Amino acid sequence: MNSWDAGLAGLLAGTMGVSLLSNALVLLCLLHSADIRRQAPALFTLNLTCGNLLCTVVNMPLTLAGVVAQRQPAGDRLCRLAAFLDTFLAANSMLSMAALSIDRWVAVVFPLSYRAKMRLRDAALMVAYTWLHALAFPAAAVVLSWLGFHQLYASCTLCSRRPDERLRFAVFTGAFHALSFLLSFVVLCCTYCKVLKVARFHCRRIDVITMQTLVLLVDIHPSVRERCLEEQKRRRQRATKKISTFIGTFLVCFAPYVVTRLVELSSAVPISSHWGVLSKCLAYSKAASDPFVYSLLRRQYRKSCKEILNRVLHRRSLRSSGLTGDSHSQNILPASE
């Protein structure tokens, strides 16, 4: 194993560690906080988190073993099962992000009727659709025997070893990425652009009211006026940064792998195995970034994390105080005798 392979193995191992800890923390927050569970987005987050955890404990270790061993890391049955999960979880992750963007679009565009339009039942139906949609392609791949170990990505995923099936496999791969990656990307762009448009409209209304207030307050200190204007600017930038993060992480993580899979179908462009593994690592890194992008940086999740931490520290303090009390009583008893 050369330095490139060692570096890729280290990157993959680090991604596994961050993904496991962050997604487990999101799951703990969902289990701990009833307020979070009562909201419809909790179902989308739960679906995304469970998929990320499954990818972390099944697909990533096998890919890491493939990078280290430079060969198929498991038997054919286990590899086909991992390839099935890899295809399903990738599509499910993309569609879950599209579902979250639709939820945010409804919340921003229809704030007064959001609870009526996005109930838990509606969210459950959307999750059920993402599962059926994501299951369709790996199920078809099982029938067509297009699941196995792909040396270019050192992982168990979609592949075809028969030259006479090249055209059919190319059409299948193109349809899969068009109806998962491209569809989700279009939904993300449409919904978040609409969200950004509405957010900027509300910001302009708030800015007008703020400026009218500042005009009326003639005796206001210049520093206060400057702080108000700076807050207006930050408010406009905040919405743009959030939406850029949602769409940007989606593209950075998934686009290299999808483009590589499509270019691979043409024999005209040779692809380095190091780039193939790196693009796969970038796709896996979405599982590590999702908890921070969609959950842990939100106020409710931060509050839940603090409550969990306080509870753990409280239990440890009780245990330590109990042990101290026992040792103290043991020291006192002989003296009393």
Side-chain angles (χ1 to χ4, degrees):
M1 186 170 64
N2 56 32
S3 58
W4 267 100
D5 294 329
L8 291 171
L11 175 63
L12 189 53
T15 303
M16 285 173 54
V18 174
S19 177
L20 185 62
L21 293 175
S22 57
N23 283 285
L25 185 56
V26 172
L27 197 58
L28 282 176
C29 291
L30 288 170
L31 295 173
H32 175 265
S33 176
D35 293 335
I36 297 177
R37 291 197 304 272
R38 279 194 290 265
Q39 300 174 0
L43 282 178
F44 304 132
T45 304
L46 179 63
N47 181 41
L48 186 62
T49 302
C50 291
N52 289 339
L53 283 172
L54 192 58
C55 178
T56 303
V57 300
V58 177
N59 294 99
M60 291 189 195
L62 288 176
T63 301
L64 178 60
V67 172
V68 173
Q70 296 293 308
R71 58 182 177 83
Q72 184 171 317
D76 290 338
R77 289 186 178 181
L78 181 58
C79 192
R80 283 195 294 269
L81 176 60
F84 181 92
L85 284 175
D86 180 78
T87 309
F88 165 71
L89 293 175
N92 181 62
S93 176
M94 297 177 192
L95 295 171
S96 294
M97 283 178 267
L100 280 167
S101 70
I102 293 173
D103 173 79
R104 291 172 190 260
W105 171 72
V106 175
V108 172
V109 178
F110 308 102
L112 299 179
S113 58
Y114 170 73
R115 293 187 180 275
K117 291 180 179 293
M118 189 60 69
R119 296 164 294 181
L120 285 175
R121 185 183 66 181
D122 301 320
L125 289 175
M126 292 178 68
V127 171
Y129 170 76
T130 62
W131 274 60
L132 291 174
H133 188 137
L135 279 171
F137 284 95
V142 169
V143 175
L144 297 170
S145 300
W146 285 345
L147 298 175
F149 181 73
H150 202 309
Q151 189 67 45
L152 179 62
Y153 307 100
S155 61
C156 300
T157 183
L158 283 175
C159 66
S160 175
R161 297 183 177 87
R162 296 177 58 182
D164 58 324
E165 294 181 339
R166 179 180 294 273
L167 180 59
R168 292 173 59 199
F169 182 72
V171 173
F172 179 85
T173 304
F176 169 66
H177 291 300
L179 294 176
S180 56
F181 172 79
L182 184 60
L183 175 63
S184 300
F185 178 66
V186 170
V187 172
L188 284 171
C189 290
C190 292
T191 52
Y192 283 132
C193 286
K194 184 64 176 178
V195 167
L196 184 60
K197 182 178 179 181
V198 174
R200 285 180 173 175
F201 172 75
H202 289 309
C203 286
R204 283 195 296 269
R205 292 185 61 185
I206 295 173
D207 292 346
V208 170
I209 296 172
T210 304
M211 293 303 298
Q212 290 174 350
T213 305
L214 292 176
V215 170
L216 293 175
L217 298 174
V218 180
D219 297 331
I220 191 172
H221 195 275
S223 63
V224 178
R225 188 189 301 270
E226 290 177 2
R227 284 200 298 269
C228 291
L229 295 176
E230 289 176 1
E231 180 60 29
Q232 291 178 7
K233 184 178 179 181
R234 283 196 297 267
R235 194 184 303 114
R236 288 192 295 267
Q237 292 176 346
R238 197 177 300 127
T240 304
K241 286 181 179 179
K242 286 184 177 180
I243 291 173
S244 300
T245 301
F246 294 146
I247 299 178
T249 54
F250 181 87
L251 281 178
V252 169
C253 294
F254 285 128
Y257 178 68
V258 172
V259 172
T260 304
R261 293 298 316 233
L262 295 177
V263 171
E264 175 204 347
L265 300 174
S266 171
S267 303
V269 181
I271 301 175
S272 168
S273 60
H274 294 142
W275 169 252
V277 175
L278 179 60
S279 66
K280 191 66 176 177
C281 290
L282 287 174
Y284 285 150
S285 68
K286 194 68 176 72
S289 64
D290 283 342
F292 301 99
V293 173
Y294 291 100
S295 304
L296 295 178
L297 298 181
R298 294 177 57 191
R299 182 181 58 82
Q300 286 181 313
Y301 284 88
R302 292 202 307 268
K303 179 182 176 183
S304 181
C305 288
K306 290 179 181 178
E307 291 175 354
I308 294 172
L309 182 61
N310 289 334
R311 180 174 295 184
V312 171
L313 293 177
H314 181 65
R315 286 182 179 178
R316 287 186 177 181
S317 63
L318 288 178
R319 288 179 181 177
S320 62
S321 63
L323 291 173
T324 305
D326 291 341
S327 61
H328 182 65
S329 62
Q330 289 174 2
N331 293 332
I332 291 176
L333 286 174
S336 62
E337 291 176 357

